[in-house]
């Protein structure tokens, strides 16, 4: 079944329409109450299961999955590079305090122009999924499509592979997919996180090629030298200063 036909099925149309009806019917209140937020989250989860159940991995989808994984890797590396550069540029301004620089990569805010389904319903659902309309996916709000943090008290900075795979060796996070067809793909952990632990269906991810990067700096400044303060209290060596 073509992806266009999948999104025309009664089950998908009804649940997506219900999600949007709940959202827009209550938008006039200015914010959604706890029950509405919970209902939309549950419906997004059900929608994901319906769509994933209709997914059959073939060579075409494998290529799209490879392309998405590679695009995500490229943006995560760029995010890490920019986070490191910002940390180096600001660390001297926070000598007597703690510095934390958080980089986060997000899926593109705009709906993918190469997705084969270009209906208004699909574009509005994407806005619900990616947080443009509200926060219905707390884990995505925290981690995005991948994150990288540097702290002044860290003794070691994660390598690129540690950021991508969770350790320094290549891996293949292909849980939930055809293991044989994907055995050579080196799918990164952040793809697995989006696919397995968030409410994105596989059909939401395959055509994403654009991303947004956010980097935040937090410096907690003290008027005293943290090392001297620890020594005065006889704490010995403290592990939260350079």
């Amino acid at each position: 079944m073509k992806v266009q036909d999948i999104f025309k099925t009664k089950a998908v149309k009804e649940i997506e329409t219900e999600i949007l009806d709940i959202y827009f019917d209550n938008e006039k209140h200015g914010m959604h109450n706890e029950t509405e937020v919970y209902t939309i989250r549950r419906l997004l989860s059900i929608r994901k299961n319906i769509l994933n159940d209709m997914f059959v991995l073939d060579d075409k989808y494998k290529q799209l999955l490879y392309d998405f994984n590679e695009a995500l890797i490229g943006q995560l590396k760029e995010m890490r590079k920019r986070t490191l550069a910002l940390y180096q540029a600001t660390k001297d301004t926070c000598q007597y305090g703690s510095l934390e620089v958080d980089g986060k990569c997000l899926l593109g805010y705009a709906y993918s122009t190469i997705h084969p389904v270009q209906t208004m319903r699909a574009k509005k659902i994407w806005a619900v999924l990616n947080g443009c309309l509200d926060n219905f996916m707390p884990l995505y709000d925290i981690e995005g499509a991948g994150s990288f943090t540097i702290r002044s008290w860290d003794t070691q900075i994660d390598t690129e592979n540690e950021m991508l795979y969770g350790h320094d060796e290549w891996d293949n996070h292909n849980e939930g997919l055809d293991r044989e067809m994907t055995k050579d793909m080196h799918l990164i952990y952040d793809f697995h996180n989006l696919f397995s632990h968030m409410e994105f269906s596989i059909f939401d991810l395959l055509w994403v090629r654009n991303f947004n990067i956010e980097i935040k700096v937090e410096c907690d400044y003290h008027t005293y030298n943290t090392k001297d303060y620890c020594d005065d209290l006889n704490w010995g060596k403290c592990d939260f200063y350079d």
Side-chain angles (χ1 to χ4, degrees):
M1 188 185 299
K2 290 183 178 180
V3 64
Q4 295 94 328
D5 296 327
I6 289 173
F7 279 86
K8 289 178 182 177
T9 59
K10 182 179 179 181
V12 175
K13 287 177 65 175
E14 285 186 351
I15 197 161
E16 289 191 338
T17 300
E18 182 68 11
I19 291 168
L20 296 175
D21 283 348
I22 293 173
Y23 178 84
F24 288 108
D25 284 349
N26 294 280
E27 180 61 16
K28 60 186 179 182
H29 300 157
M31 62 182 296
H32 293 84
N33 63 44
E34 186 175 331
T35 300
E36 292 159 358
V37 171
Y38 175 78
T39 301
I40 290 176
R41 287 176 182 167
R42 287 292 301 133
L43 290 173
L44 288 174
S45 180
I46 295 169
R47 170 190 176 271
K48 169 185 176 173
N49 292 336
I50 291 172
L51 287 169
N52 284 351
D53 284 346
M54 296 185 187
F55 178 71
V56 179
L57 186 63
D58 57 19
D59 289 338
K60 175 186 174 182
Y61 285 141
K62 181 179 178 179
Q63 183 61 51
L64 287 167
L65 178 55
Y66 172 84
D67 292 342
F68 171 71
N69 192 61
E70 289 299 301
L72 181 55
I73 287 173
Q75 289 305 304
L76 289 172
K77 288 181 177 180
E78 179 67 20
M79 178 266 293
R80 180 180 180 276
K81 182 179 76 174
R82 289 173 180 264
T83 303
L84 281 166
L86 189 55
Y87 175 80
Q88 292 298 328
T90 57
K91 67 178 183 178
D92 290 339
T93 67
C94 200
Q95 293 182 1
Y96 300 116
S98 59
L99 175 64
E100 184 171 325
V101 183
D102 296 303
K104 182 163 66 173
C105 179
L106 299 162
L107 303 175
Y109 298 130
Y111 184 68
S112 174
T113 58
I114 64 171
H115 199 293
V117 178
Q118 290 292 321
T119 64
M120 186 56 66
R121 172 164 54 92
K123 294 174 183 179
K124 289 180 178 179
I125 286 291
W126 181 247
V128 172
L129 285 167
N130 71 8
C132 285
L133 293 182
D134 211 325
N135 175 23
F136 298 108
M137 211 181 300
L139 184 59
Y140 181 73
D141 185 56
I142 296 170
E143 299 183 4
S147 59
F148 177 75
T149 299
I150 309 173
R151 304 175 183 88
S152 56
W153 59 91
D154 286 340
T155 58
Q156 186 173 336
I157 296 173
D158 285 349
T159 65
E160 282 188 353
N161 275 353
E162 286 173 329
M163 176 186 69
L164 296 174
Y165 300 104
H167 44 76
D168 225 4
E169 301 294 328
W170 277 21
D171 205 338
N172 189 18
H173 293 280
N174 59 348
E175 296 88 343
L177 296 168
D178 185 313
R179 291 299 186 100
E180 184 62 27
M181 283 197 70
T182 58
K183 64 182 180 181
D184 59 344
M185 294 192 69
H186 298 295
L187 296 169
I188 61 174
Y189 174 79
D190 292 299
F191 160 74
H192 164 76
N193 202 29
L194 289 166
F195 176 59
S196 297
H197 302 308
M198 302 184 195
E199 278 68 50
F200 297 101
S201 79
I202 190 67
F203 292 113
D204 299 317
L205 302 173
L206 289 177
W207 290 273
V208 173
R209 299 294 179 271
N210 294 317
F211 301 84
N212 293 83
I213 291 174
E214 294 180 358
I215 303 176
K216 296 180 181 179
V217 178
E218 181 176 333
C219 179
D220 293 326
Y221 173 74
H222 310 294
T223 56
Y224 52 84
N225 186 302
T226 310
K227 180 179 184 302
D228 292 340
Y229 177 69
C230 293
D231 290 342
D232 288 344
L233 293 177
N234 295 317
W235 285 355
K237 182 180 179 180
C238 293
D239 60 359
F240 52 88
Y241 62 84
D242 286 334

